[in-house]
Amino acid sequence: GGAASSPKIVRAAEPVCTALLSWGILGATISAPAALALVPIVAGVALASVSELSFTWLSFSGAMLSNLAFATRNILSRASMDRPKGKNMTPENLFGVLTVMSFLWALPCAILIEGPTALAKWSAATAVKPASYILQYTVSTGLYFYLYNEVAMLALNNVNPVTHAVANTLKRVVILLACVVFFKTPMTPLCIAGSTVAIVGSYLYSMAKGREKALAKAAAKKGAA
């Protein structure tokens, strides 16, 4: 695989993938100003995330597949929330159902791929740390990750998939800035420049979306008059 920078750069393009899939699956369009604002967001996050320039087709394909999977899940989830099937299918319950389905799908794959080496890896891990320690942090990490994704699903219920993808992408910059504040992690000039560009891009995107809403509201009033 490639260095970590290669997947990070490709993953930063998630809003673009989401915009294209939203158009292809839902027929949703995005205004030219909002689409142009995605460029500095993607470029800025890519610059802030990169540590070294490297590329392999394996890492590129994996990161792009991840983009497509996340974008498709969010678009179809939003479509399901707009037209809920069954009773009490709230965003929280929808995410719970998706999690159970994902577990049932992933379990056989995990057993098939990692099963033969699982016992040896567990023995090696417990030789370094007690089993109780490993289980405690595994369970707590899983709970935190589940809560994070459930909150993300609640957010998706209130915004369109492209805006959600923009927020998810900018999360990387927020984490970088939090590391600077709390852990005194040094920022390279490239990281500072990328973060600045991404923040400016997010401001331009929010302005474009605000203008879209204002025009839509004005058109609705005019039609009602």
Side-chain angles (χ1 to χ4, degrees):
S5 60
S6 179
K8 284 178 182 177
I9 292 172
V10 180
R11 287 288 288 124
E14 182 184 342
V16 177
C17 291
T18 304
L20 291 173
L21 287 174
S22 292
W23 172 74
I25 297 174
L26 303 178
T29 57
I30 181 172
S31 67
L36 289 173
L38 295 179
V39 176
I41 293 173
V42 171
V45 173
L47 283 174
S49 301
V50 69
S51 56
E52 58 185 52
L53 295 176
S54 61
F55 176 86
T56 68
W57 281 109
L58 180 61
S59 60
F60 174 83
S61 301
M64 185 55 69
L65 183 61
S66 177
N67 275 346
L68 293 174
F70 271 93
T72 303
R73 186 201 70 170
N74 288 340
I75 290 167
L76 296 180
S77 294
R78 180 56 196 264
S80 178
M81 285 185 272
D82 289 340
R83 297 184 296 275
K85 295 178 174 61
K87 294 181 180 179
N88 200 31
M89 191 53 73
T90 61
E92 301 95 319
N93 291 340
L94 174 62
F95 179 66
V97 170
L98 290 175
T99 300
V100 172
M101 293 173 63
S102 299
F103 171 78
L104 294 176
W105 170 262
L107 183 61
C109 297
I111 293 173
L112 181 65
I113 297 171
E114 300 180 11
T117 61
L119 185 59
K121 289 181 179 178
W122 174 258
S123 299
T126 51
V128 179
K129 293 286 185 180
S132 59
Y133 176 91
I134 297 172
L135 289 173
Q136 175 189 346
Y137 280 90
T138 300
V139 171
S140 60
T141 300
L143 288 174
Y144 286 134
F145 190 69
Y146 183 90
L147 289 173
Y148 151 70
N149 279 286
E150 186 167 299
V151 170
M153 190 65 72
L154 288 169
L156 180 61
N157 188 46
N158 294 289
V159 298
N160 69 57
V162 178
T163 301
H164 187 270
V166 168
N168 191 48
T169 300
L170 287 171
K171 172 190 69 180
R172 305 170 205 281
V173 172
V174 174
I175 291 173
L176 285 171
L177 296 177
C179 288
V180 172
V181 173
F182 293 104
F183 303 113
K184 311 301 180 186
T185 304
M187 291 183 72
T188 64
L190 198 61
C191 182
I192 295 171
S195 299
T196 303
V197 170
I199 291 169
V200 171
S202 66
Y203 173 75
L204 294 175
Y205 180 82
S206 65
M207 292 290 290
K209 295 302 290 184
R211 184 172 179 273
E212 283 181 28
K213 289 180 181 179
L215 290 174
K217 188 179 291 186
K221 285 183 179 179
K222 186 176 180 180

